[in-house]
Amino acid sequence: MMMSDSDSVKLFRSSAPYINAHRGKTFVLMFGGEAIENENFANIINDIALLNSLGVKLVLVHGARPQIDQRIELRGVEKRFANNIRLTDKQTLESVKDAAGSVRSQIEALLTMGLANSPMHGSQIRVCSGNMVMAMPMGVRDGIDYEHTGLVRRIDVTGINGHLQDGSIVLLSPMGYSPTGEVFNLSHEDVATQAAIGLKADKLIIFTENDGIIDQDGRLKRNIDSTQLADLLLNDALNAQHPVLTAISQTLEADIPRCHCVSYQRDGALLQELFTRDGSGSLISKKHYEQLRQANIEDVGGILQLINPLEEKGILVKRSRELLEAEIEQFTLIERDGMVVACAAFYPYPDDKTGELACVATHPDYRGKNRGERLMEAIKQSAMEQGLDSIFVLTTVTAHWFQEQGFIQAELSALPQSKKELYNFQRNSKVFRLELR
């Protein structure tokens, strides 16, 4: 579907805060050899060029596993692995150097392309690569000699920052060098993780086959904190994602604020993740100083203190302590140093594939910091996990906020029958609906 001019203007305006927030920041982007072979990779390169033009400092870390496998097969060399790690003998190392060099040249060529009528016309991007990753041998482990398979010893932070300050994109390959002149085969996950940590990057962005981090039931996890990440790492059903999850975990532990996972197969996924409110993939961050969690019976007093002023003004429907105690499991809240600073309730109507968002409140001293949006995102995730198709809300004075979250005004007839029977015509609340799928 073609976007109208008004939609384009609205989208451009809504992206302005993100453009300002990302300018001058350092992002490390990690993608494997599978991404490079995907037909969408040229679009990813165009989006990377756009980020560069918007003043984002970019370090690209590429893998080359499928390309290495192809060259090993052509040379008739046996592929050998131990603990899912490639054993790199001298013959295999030649395939590694050949593949990594070829992939690097391919990426540099794509970033240099500036044909008329192409998205990169006039971009004049400088790409810098070289011996900026120092490596050491993995050595002998459990009696197995990994030979030329190595680990990152050090990242040349000064050299990389110098190139970034000059406006260049830095490209790192899955190879490292030792002071003795040896070459080592590295995992691109290790290179990206250590680059992000060494550079104190603002973000690590990982391109994956899926839209982001997928749970054991095949659902996309939109927002993940460090506690949830630890649970995912313990789940044997998610072994295929463990290299990515481990890279994210190590990066967060080193105080990198945020990591993102986006699809390398979906056109525009990177830009949507970085420049829209809802994003496209998974956002992973450390647990907030403010904890978002499900409410329990001990929170009743704190929620009452929060919502009573709004009930007195007629903004919220009055709830007795008894009713709140009975419905406490429907509430999600944000707690700051023991104080409830925001809350929202959600009442599912599974037979109608919808649910009601209600009692959304934020303490006056803590408004304007996206706390309502965080609650909204958590409830959306819960609704989708319950198989619901939409969320509705009844409101008298906060219609604009819900519209900003994507809700569209609906007729009273759109409500579930049981809710219509309880509708208070004296309050004359407006109905708004958000489609989830």
Side-chain angles (χ1 to χ4, degrees):
M1 182 184 297
M2 185 173 293
M3 184 178 294
S4 68
D5 290 343
S6 60
D7 288 339
S8 299
V9 170
K10 183 179 179 181
L11 178 63
F12 189 69
R13 286 173 175 165
S14 65
S15 68
Y18 301 99
I19 294 173
N20 293 326
H22 299 330
R23 184 179 294 114
K25 300 297 177 61
T26 300
F27 296 174
V28 175
L29 275 60
M30 179 185 106
F31 44 86
E34 297 83 1
I36 296 161
E37 292 188 342
N38 191 270
E39 60 183 9
N40 187 52
F41 188 66
N43 294 324
I44 293 174
I45 290 293
N46 290 334
D47 293 344
I48 288 171
L50 177 57
L51 289 182
N52 177 255
S53 70
L54 292 174
V56 181
K57 300 173 184 176
L58 298 171
V59 177
L60 312 183
V61 181
H62 74 82
R65 288 181 185 129
Q67 293 83 357
I68 293 171
D69 286 340
Q70 292 165 10
R71 284 157 175 79
I72 286 176
E73 186 175 344
L74 286 172
R75 286 182 166 91
V77 178
E78 179 188 0
K79 289 192 292 186
R80 296 187 300 141
F81 291 84
N83 300 314
N84 292 320
I85 299 172
R86 190 188 301 275
L87 303 181
T88 311
D89 57 19
K90 289 184 179 179
Q91 287 182 301
T92 302
L93 183 61
E94 292 305 311
S95 296
V96 171
K97 291 191 288 187
D98 184 9
S102 176
V103 169
R104 186 188 68 226
S105 297
Q106 178 185 351
I107 296 170
E108 289 175 345
L110 287 170
L111 284 167
T112 305
M113 183 176 65
L115 298 175
N117 299 321
S118 76
M120 293 178 60
H121 178 57
S123 57
Q124 297 182 333
I125 293 173
R126 293 192 302 273
V127 185
C128 296
S129 56
N131 60 339
M132 290 178 279
V133 179
M134 306 301 112
M136 59 185 179
M138 187 172 286
V140 178
R141 302 187 178 193
D142 298 326
I144 300 172
D145 187 355
Y146 286 83
E147 300 187 57
H148 293 280
T149 300
L151 300 169
V152 175
R153 180 195 296 268
R154 180 175 61 85
I155 298 291
D156 182 5
V157 173
T158 302
I160 292 174
N161 276 330
H163 292 308
L164 295 177
Q165 290 297 332
D166 290 339
S168 300
I169 292 177
V170 173
L171 179 61
L172 302 180
S173 296
M175 293 195 305
Y177 309 90
S178 72
T180 58
E182 294 178 280
V183 181
F184 291 97
N185 175 26
L186 308 175
S187 77
H188 67 281
E189 292 93 348
D190 188 23
V191 176
T193 299
Q194 298 307 317
I197 293 171
L199 293 165
K200 296 181 173 59
D202 297 282
K203 292 181 186 293
L204 170 65
I205 302 172
I206 300 175
F207 288 89
T208 63
E209 180 181 8
N210 301 309
D211 282 336
I213 302 300
I214 305 299
D215 68 13
Q216 63 183 13
D217 297 318
R219 296 182 299 236
L220 173 65
K221 301 290 288 184
R222 287 282 189 182
N223 290 277
I224 304 171
D225 64 25
S226 54
T227 301
Q228 295 168 322
L229 179 62
D231 291 339
L232 292 171
L233 275 166
L234 292 173
N235 192 328
D236 291 337
L238 303 177
N239 280 342
Q241 296 182 94
H242 276 196
V244 168
L245 295 173
T246 300
I248 293 169
S249 178
Q250 292 174 353
T251 305
L252 292 179
E253 287 175 5
D255 292 329
I256 304 304
R258 291 185 167 189
C259 297
H260 301 258
C261 282
V262 297
S263 170
Y264 63 69
Q265 301 191 80
R266 188 149 66 85
D267 186 14
L270 175 63
L271 298 183
Q272 185 178 346
E273 178 70 12
L274 293 176
F275 295 101
T276 66
R277 184 188 300 276
D278 293 332
S280 67
S282 298
L283 167 62
I284 310 97
S285 57
K286 277 195 168 183
K287 184 173 289 186
H288 292 267
Y289 172 65
E290 299 176 351
Q291 184 182 3
L292 188 151
R293 60 176 175 81
Q294 292 300 117
N296 58 58
I297 197 66
E298 295 179 356
D299 298 312
V300 170
I303 293 175
L304 282 172
Q305 284 186 326
L306 178 65
I307 65 177
N308 276 343
L310 298 175
E311 291 176 347
E312 294 298 327
K313 294 178 182 178
I315 296 173
L316 295 179
V317 176
K318 282 187 176 292
R319 282 175 169 80
S320 66
R321 174 179 285 272
E322 292 75 19
L323 178 62
L324 189 56
E325 289 176 351
E327 297 182 345
I328 193 64
E329 293 183 355
Q330 312 302 130
F331 278 77
T332 302
L333 59 80
I334 296 177
E335 179 186 52
R336 181 183 178 91
D337 198 21
M339 174 183 174
V340 178
V341 298
C343 72
F346 185 67
Y347 303 90
Y349 290 77
D351 292 342
D352 298 280
K353 292 288 186 178
T354 190
E356 180 184 10
L357 177 65
C359 200
V360 181
T362 303
H363 192 282
D365 293 343
Y366 296 97
R367 290 174 186 162
K369 296 294 184 180
N370 295 325
R371 292 177 178 88
E373 286 80 355
R374 285 178 58 201
L375 285 169
M376 184 73 242
E377 188 60 38
I379 287 171
K380 282 168 57 179
Q381 182 74 32
S382 174
M384 287 189 286
E385 290 175 358
Q386 294 178 58
L388 305 184
D389 295 331
S390 65
I391 293 173
F392 70 88
V393 65
L394 301 177
T395 183
T396 54
V397 298
T398 55
H400 283 185
W401 186 84
F402 288 107
Q403 287 176 308
E404 289 171 5
Q405 311 313 309
F407 283 78
I408 297 174
Q409 189 166 359
E411 298 296 328
L412 183 61
S413 59
L415 297 177
Q417 183 60 37
S418 56
K419 186 64 183 179
K420 281 190 285 189
E421 293 172 357
L422 296 174
Y423 182 80
N424 187 337
F425 286 93
Q426 187 174 354
R427 279 182 62 82
N428 195 28
S429 300
K430 292 183 178 180
V431 179
F432 286 87
R433 181 184 176 93
L434 175 69
E435 297 292 337
L436 297 176
R437 303 176 191 280

